[in-house]
Amino acid sequence: MKNLLLTIAFSLTLTAVMAHDNERFMQAMGETLSEMGKAKTSASMQEVANKFERIANTETNEWLPNYYAALTYTLMSMEQQEGASKDQYLDKADSFIEKLAKQNVSAPDEVEVLKAQVAMMRISIDGPGRWMQYGALFEGAITKAKGINSQNPRAYALKAMMVFNTPEQFGGGAEKACPEIEVAIQKFAEFKPASAIAPNWGIGQVESMKKACK
C-alpha cells in the first residue's frame, strides 16, 4: 500500500510539472506569435525568429517552434529586393525544415506546405531559370500536403498564389487562379486550428487575390 501511495504521489507530481511546463511553453509561443504579427522590420522579424529558435532549443520535443522559425524566415525573404538576400533567408528556412524532419510532427502536412512556400519563393527570384528544379518540388510538396490532409487550406492557398503569379503565357494569371482561390477560401471557412498556437495563416493573402476575380 505504501509503495502504491508513493507511486500515485510521484505520478501526480510529474503530471503537475508537465502541466506547468506546457503552460510555460504555450505562453512563450503565444507571446512570440503576437510579436510575429506585429513585426514590421527585418530587425524585429529577426528577433522573432531568434526567439522561436531559443524556444526550440529548450523545448526539443515540440515541433512548432522550428516550424514558425522557418515560416518567419520565408516572410523575411519576401521583404528582400535582391535575389541573393532572398536565398539567404530561404536557406535559413530550409535549415529549420531539416530540423523538423528529425522531430515527431503531429501535422506533417504543414511541413509540406512550408516546403512548397520555400520552393515558390525560390521560383520568384528567377522563374525561367528555376522552374524546372523548384516547380517540381512545389507541386510535389502541395500534392503530398493534400494527400496527408485534404482539408489544409494553406495547401490550396499556395497553389492559388502560384497560379496567380505565373504569367498568363505560361498558363497562369488571375483568371486561371480564381477557381483555386474559391476552393482555398472554402477550405479556410471550414478549417479549425488544432490549438491556439497551431498554424492558421494564409486567408489574408487569398482574400487579397480574390479582389482580382470577377
Side-chain angles (χ1 to χ4, degrees):
M1 177 63 72
K2 180 180 179 182
N3 288 339
L4 177 60
L5 291 174
L6 287 173
T7 300
I8 293 173
F10 175 77
S11 298
L12 290 173
T13 301
L14 181 61
T15 300
V17 170
M18 291 175 64
H20 176 73
D21 288 345
N22 183 65
E23 181 180 343
R24 183 174 57 187
F25 168 71
M26 291 292 288
Q27 180 177 349
M29 287 295 294
E31 290 174 353
T32 310
L33 283 169
S34 179
E35 291 178 21
M36 182 181 181
K38 298 173 183 176
K40 302 298 181 183
T41 66
S42 294
S44 58
M45 290 294 285
Q46 184 64 64
E47 181 58 29
V48 167
N50 292 343
K51 287 186 177 181
F52 281 129
E53 184 172 9
R54 287 196 291 271
I55 296 172
N57 290 336
T58 301
E59 305 288 347
T60 56
N61 291 326
E62 300 286 352
W63 65 275
L64 282 171
N66 282 322
Y67 169 89
Y68 281 115
L71 180 61
T72 302
Y73 280 113
T74 68
L75 297 176
M76 292 171 72
S77 175
M78 293 179 188
E79 299 301 318
Q80 306 306 306
Q81 300 301 318
E82 299 294 328
S85 296
K86 288 179 179 288
D87 272 332
Q88 287 178 352
Y89 285 114
L90 294 174
D91 288 343
K92 289 289 293 183
D94 273 335
S95 71
F96 285 97
I97 291 174
E98 289 173 4
K99 293 180 181 181
L100 286 166
K102 301 174 183 178
Q103 291 187 290
N104 181 21
V105 177
S106 61
D109 52 301
E110 298 291 359
V111 178
E112 295 302 320
V113 168
L114 263 184
K115 292 178 183 177
Q117 176 143 313
V118 171
M120 183 171 67
M121 291 300 301
R122 300 278 193 193
I123 293 169
S124 72
I125 296 170
D126 177 13
R130 294 187 170 191
W131 174 255
M132 288 294 291
Q133 178 182 359
Y134 294 106
L137 289 175
F138 174 85
E139 294 294 343
I142 290 296
T143 298
K144 192 169 182 180
K146 290 180 179 179
I148 296 169
N149 179 10
S150 63
Q151 301 307 308
N152 187 325
R154 279 161 291 286
Y156 298 88
L158 285 188
K159 178 64 176 179
M161 290 178 202
M162 177 64 86
V163 176
F164 188 89
N165 291 302
T166 298
E168 291 184 9
Q169 61 265 37
F170 296 111
E175 185 176 349
K176 291 288 182 66
C178 286
E180 299 279 356
I181 292 170
E182 291 296 334
V183 173
I185 289 175
Q186 179 183 351
K187 295 294 183 180
F188 273 111
E190 299 169 351
F191 178 75
K192 293 183 179 180
S195 71
I197 63 172
N200 191 26
W201 55 270
I203 184 61
Q205 293 92 324
V206 175
E207 289 179 338
S208 179
M209 289 188 296
K210 187 180 179 182
K211 296 175 183 178
C213 297
K214 297 179 181 179

